[in-house]
Amino acid sequence: MIKCLIVDDESKAREILVEMLRLYCSDVLVIGQAHNVNTAHNLIEELKPDLVLLDIKMPDGSGFDLLNRFASIDFKVIFITAHEEYAIKAFRFSALDYLLKPIDPSDLIQAIEKIATPQEPVNINEQFQAFKENFNKEGNQQDKRIVLKTWENIYIINLKDVIRCQADKNYTYFYFTNREKVIVSRTLKEYEDILTEYGFMRVHRSHLVNLNYIERFDKSEGGYVFTIDGSKLEVSHRKKDALLEYIDRLGDI
């Protein structure tokens, strides 16, 4: 049984969450509710929940302010937020779990199932630190840090150190300038959605490439790019024009 604390300043929102958990998540036990940061902090210290469903905006501070009060976060967190695009991007970069208001039951079920299934060590401290850094920085590749979670480790990676990503069914291989590859159990499509606006291009169904690390484009035999790690990657026909357009823009600089 997962002991859960709900933190939201709206009583109606808390009531809805309690009822949704009762209906759809029988392995979750709601052990308390809080309407602000101070109350939530006291209840977490007293009740030791396994999971906190945490609203971001509250009258006496934010959910982030609450987490900052803990030297070490030893409980799992699912953030609850309105649709704020920049915050959501920061969540995705940092591999933190979140739900959008109004909460869809299927999204809640999926989030709880993910929490209940052991996939990696329970430690969100580094993820939360990466989130704060990403949330407070402008959107450029040099500043961004991405969290990659495997069974054994949580890696905090500077985005500028990622050369390329390669698909293998529901897994993605990350290749870097300065470390061994990392294998993550998320699809390449998920990372394409996150990284495209930060200088990455999906050149093939299996390859997402940091454009800064392309050394050469070979137009023969349909097209291949060569990256600084010595990789030769096929370029799909429908991606060829977009890649050539990017290279042409470089020639104008």
Side-chain angles (χ1 to χ4, degrees), residues 28-67:
V28 176
L29 174 66
V30 178
I31 58 173
Q33 300 180 37
H35 68 285
N36 60 26
V37 170
N38 284 327
T39 304
H41 179 261
N42 293 336
L43 287 178
I44 289 171
E45 293 280 11
E46 176 188 349
L47 300 177
K48 308 296 183 186
D50 303 312
L51 168 65
V52 176
L53 295 177
L54 181 58
D55 191 19
I56 291 181
K57 293 183 178 179
M58 287 173 282
D60 61 339
S62 69
F64 311 135
D65 295 327
L66 172 62
L67 295 183

Side-chain angles (χ1 to χ4, degrees), residues 10-11 26 39-40 63 73 77-78 97 108 130-131 134 139-140 143 147 151-152 170 173 190 203 219 231 234 250 252:
E10 298 179 7
S11 59
S26 58
T39 304
I73 303 167
V77 179
I78 298 176
D97 295 308
L108 177 63
F131 172 86
N134 286 330
N140 67 76
D143 291 335
V147 175
W151 177 266
E152 296 179 341
N170 290 326
Y173 288 69
E190 293 179 75
V203 298
K219 293 186 288 185
S231 299
E234 183 179 357
L250 288 179
D252 294 335

Side-chain angles (χ1 to χ4, degrees), residues 88-142:
I88 290 169
K89 287 178 183 176
F91 281 128
R92 297 176 72 189
F93 264 98
S94 309
L96 289 169
D97 295 308
Y98 67 93
L99 293 168
L100 290 176
K101 290 183 175 181
I103 296 172
D104 183 278
S106 62
D107 291 338
L108 177 63
I109 293 169
Q110 185 176 12
I112 295 297
E113 287 178 347
K114 184 177 178 182
I115 289 291
T117 303
Q119 295 180 337
E120 61 276 321
V122 181
N123 184 341
I124 73 162
N125 295 280
E126 292 182 335
Q127 291 171 256
F128 182 53
Q129 181 61 37
F131 172 86
K132 289 189 290 184
E133 293 178 11
N134 286 330
F135 186 75
N136 292 320
K137 289 177 179 175
E138 295 298 323
N140 67 76
Q141 188 182 114
Q142 295 301 313

Side-chain angles (χ1 to χ4, degrees), residues 229-248:
D229 61 346
S231 299
K232 178 183 178 182
L233 310 175
E234 183 179 357
V235 178
S236 69
H237 178 73
R238 66 188 185 89
K239 293 293 186 179
K240 186 175 180 179
D241 289 344
L243 182 59
L244 286 171
E245 182 180 342
Y246 166 76
I247 293 171
D248 286 342

